[in-house]
Amino acid sequence: MYSLSISISIQMNMITKCCLLLLFAGVNTIRVSAQSDSSITTPACLSCLCSKDATPAGVMISHVHPKGEWMLSYRYMGMRGKGIEQNGRPVTNDQVYDQDYLMSSDNMHMDMHMLMAMYGLTKNLTLMGMVEYNRSTMNMQAPEGSAHVHNGVPMSSGMAHDMKASGLGDVSVTALYALVNSFNHHLLVSGGITIPTGSIQTKGGAASMYPEQRYPYMMQQGSGTWDVLPGLTYTFQHNKIMASSQLCAAIRTGYNTVGYKLGNKYSFNNWVGYRWLDWFSTSLRAEANTTGSISGSDPTLYAYNEPSANPYNYGGQTITGYAGVNFYFLGKNKIGIEGGLPLYQKANGIQTAASSTIHLNYTLVF
């Protein structure tokens, strides 16, 4: 346990240093641009900040809205996993089978469709609500040379099986308050909750490896708990450049009705964006995440069915780098696209390795 604590501390120090390095580089870019750009942004442009800013597609919070202003947004996030890693080292399906797992997976897809609304209650206070629809697919593979009956389903040598689940996720409600809301500087504190509307009872079909039984934890649609969402966001804007640094978390408040609790998640997010044209901007972003393992367990799951059925194979540390573009049209309409690749990842236990992430959004301000 002592060595594990040291390891986590070392990894978090690495994550923090990498993100601070990116932020430092962004700040220096801002200084150089500010010195070379002689144009002056007028106060009238403040009303355009929410519709024509350079905020990347994958970032939810960067500033509050003026009193009485609405923002509606559709967002899509797609995550792809390829290969397997165990505690930061790549492993094969055969190595997973050698640890007594009946099946293994080295390929997965996760898709989230989100509808979000924001409203400026006062000049410094904005309310935000979001609902999501999730779809997950994981390809399972039985070892060559095996033949057995699992949960009443015959599993033959090399048999492949797709585990699929979809449904509405948890609803979140968040308040954003601007501690500083000046012409160039915005410091926001945010606080929210997730309402456990997402199902934690999703089951497999009659012919699946979980026939009429609950799927593993990652295939469920919600956490099953009321979670707290604190955050702190600083955004700097000068002429055509924006930069932001953000700390946020998802804190689980207890165990759900099945008997487990997802791990707390902490994120450190840094980005720099530039408006090249009135209708076009680009961005670079680095996001570091650390997520705890699952506490407790689902008593109906056999942990060695496959790695995702084992609560110890959840959480870890990641750093993801993103590049994005935004397009502005018809006044206050905005389309954003952002793609990401893993820069660093160390999973707790055995997990499918992340290979790519994409964010898409359409935003309307009125």
Side-chain angles (χ1 to χ4, degrees), residues 84 138 146 154 159 214 253 354 359:
I84 311 170
M138 180 179 290
S146 66
M159 176 182 177
R214 274 195 298 266
T253 58
H359 293 275

Side-chain angles (χ1 to χ4, degrees), residues 2 62 94 109 126 204 206 214 216 246 248 271 280 284 290 292 302:
Y2 180 69
S62 60
D94 287 338
H109 295 172
T126 291
R214 274 195 298 266
Q246 181 181 76
C248 57
W271 61 268
F280 178 72
L284 291 174
T290 180
Y302 173 56

Side-chain angles (χ1 to χ4, degrees), residues 122-340:
T122 71
K123 68 176 183 178
N124 289 327
L125 178 63
T126 291
L127 300 181
M128 179 176 77
M130 187 172 68
V131 61
E132 62 188 42
Y133 179 88
N134 305 318
R135 185 177 186 274
S136 301
T137 302
M138 180 179 290
N139 178 260
M140 309 303 302
Q141 188 77 30
E144 295 291 340
S146 66
H148 64 281
V149 175
H150 175 63
N151 287 332
V153 179
M155 298 288 177
S156 58
S157 175
M159 176 182 177
H161 169 73
D162 285 338
M163 195 161 46
K164 298 180 179 180
S166 60
L168 291 175
D170 292 340
V171 170
S172 66
V173 180
T174 304
L176 289 61
Y177 186 80
L179 299 175
V180 177
N181 195 19
S182 68
F183 188 71
N184 297 115
H185 304 277
H186 307 270
L187 180 62
L188 311 181
V189 61
S190 57
I193 59 170
T194 63
I195 304 169
T197 52
S199 175
I200 55 173
Q201 299 289 342
T202 303
K203 298 180 179 181
S208 72
M209 64 180 296
Y210 290 93
E212 304 305 324
Q213 295 180 348
R214 274 195 298 266
Y215 270 145
Y217 313 92
M218 69 177 301
M219 303 299 290
Q220 300 300 330
Q221 309 311 312
S223 66
T225 57
W226 292 74
D227 304 327
V228 181
L229 307 173
L232 185 67
T233 304
Y234 170 73
T235 304
F236 173 85
Q237 177 163 336
H238 180 82
N239 297 322
K240 297 180 179 181
I241 289 184
M242 291 184 70
S244 181
S245 185
Q246 181 181 76
L247 289 168
C248 57
I251 309 297
R252 317 299 179 181
T253 58
Y255 288 79
N256 59 33
T257 55
V258 172
Y260 64 89
K261 177 176 70 171
L262 298 181
N264 294 336
K265 180 178 180 180
Y266 304 92
S267 299
F268 183 32
N269 201 7
N270 298 276
W271 61 268
V272 178
Y274 187 80
R275 285 281 305 279
W276 298 93
L277 300 168
D278 187 57
W279 56 271
F280 178 72
S281 71
T282 59
S283 63
L284 291 174
R285 180 165 69 99
E287 183 177 32
N289 292 298
T290 180
T291 307
S293 298
I294 292 175
S295 300
S297 64
D298 181 343
T300 67
L301 290 176
Y302 173 56
Y304 286 91
N305 279 346
E306 34 88 13
S308 69
N310 191 330
Y312 293 105
N313 295 328
Y314 284 84
Q317 296 87 42
T318 63
I319 301 177
T320 306
Y322 293 91
V325 296
N326 291 316
F327 301 93
Y328 314 93
F329 61 100
L330 298 178
K332 295 186 177 183
N333 290 265
K334 172 182 170 181
I335 291 177
I337 306 170
E338 189 181 36

Side-chain angles (χ1 to χ4, degrees), residues 104-117:
S104 181
S105 174
D106 59 3
N107 195 313
M108 65 169 292
H109 295 172
M110 296 180 67
D111 301 286
M112 297 175 64
H113 301 269
M114 294 162 278
L115 293 177
M116 185 175 75

